[in-house]
Amino acid sequence: AGVRRRRRGGCAVLMKGGREAARSNAALHAVVRAAVVAAAPDAAAAADLEHAVSLLPDRDAVARLLAACDAAASPLVDLVVPRGSNALVKHVQASTKVPVLGHADGVCHVYVDASADASKAVALCVDAKCDYPAACNAAETFLFHESTVASGLAKTVADALREAGVELAGSPAAVEAGLASAETTKPPRHEHGCLAARVEVVSGVTEAVAFVNAHSSGHTDLVVAEDSAAAETFLRTVDSADIFHNASTRFADGFRFGLGAELGIATGRIHARGPVGVDGFLTYKWLLRSSDVHRVADFAGDAPAKRRVRRADPASRREIAATPRPRTFLRR
């Protein structure tokens, strides 16, 4: 699907799959390459598309390519998209000057507000943690409003998580409230990637936001609340790519967002952010066509043309802005 989306965007792609699937990667590459060439409108286009989809054989080839990119006078590859472990992403980010679209870890939070509905809180917390614990959009830390401890809501949620097999560790306040079995030895920003999670007790949405912004990886964070003001505060002040209200963190996915295919996930603040589809892989070039001769001087000062010029209609501006500039991508 990723190759099909890149073809629609006019992009070339260099792929490197896992070595444990080397033969499968080669077979799939041959099929995709043949399909791309077969879709060409003429022989010249077919020749151009012959190498539009390439397969790198091993990590050494990737390393040589990135080194060549760093040494080249003009870009050989516009973007690297590493998909894999935390160690892989960090290694790629540290070993090249080529822009990297990705995220190293997924430390996602769930804040259960004082106004949270009990049944919603249980369902959302269990789904966010247990649907696929190893996923980057699985919850790793649960923050409970202090009033939910007194009301028993926090204990209800914690018991549901334990029943689902989740091992809970947390702050002294969480242990004292019976929400965690032991004090945590992990740092606040830690991706468990399994049926284990951190539990904290906070004074309210302001403290919850501060905790999330200090320790989140910027991937996905969730507020469970019926109080719209509290929910809106969380949504507007948490600095993450995806922030949800009463919806599981597991919805942070390109396919579920309607992107057709998720080509990457980004937690940075420039260009694409969150799940990334084909639109996030495109930049623009501006095309200006004149039916006559247009000079800036004709529209400057008191020039008569200045009084006649009108803004282009919005539809035309959108059409110009939507012209993609093809790029070359390395996906690992």
Side-chain angles (χ1 to χ4, degrees), residues 311-325:
R311 298 176 67 89
D313 68 274
S316 296
R317 291 204 302 275
R318 283 197 298 270
E319 183 178 350
I320 292 173
T323 303
R325 172 183 175 266

Side-chain angles (χ1 to χ4, degrees), residues 155 157-168 178-181:
K155 184 67 161 52
V157 174
D159 287 345
L161 287 167
R162 290 193 188 98
E163 188 176 344
V166 181
E167 180 182 339
L168 299 176
L179 307 179
S181 303

Side-chain angles (χ1 to χ4, degrees), residues 109 141 143 188 198 200 202 206-216:
H109 296 71
T141 298
L143 308 174
R198 183 187 190 97
E200 297 281 345
V202 295
T206 300
E207 186 179 352
V209 168
F211 188 96
V212 172
N213 284 339
H215 306 299
S216 170

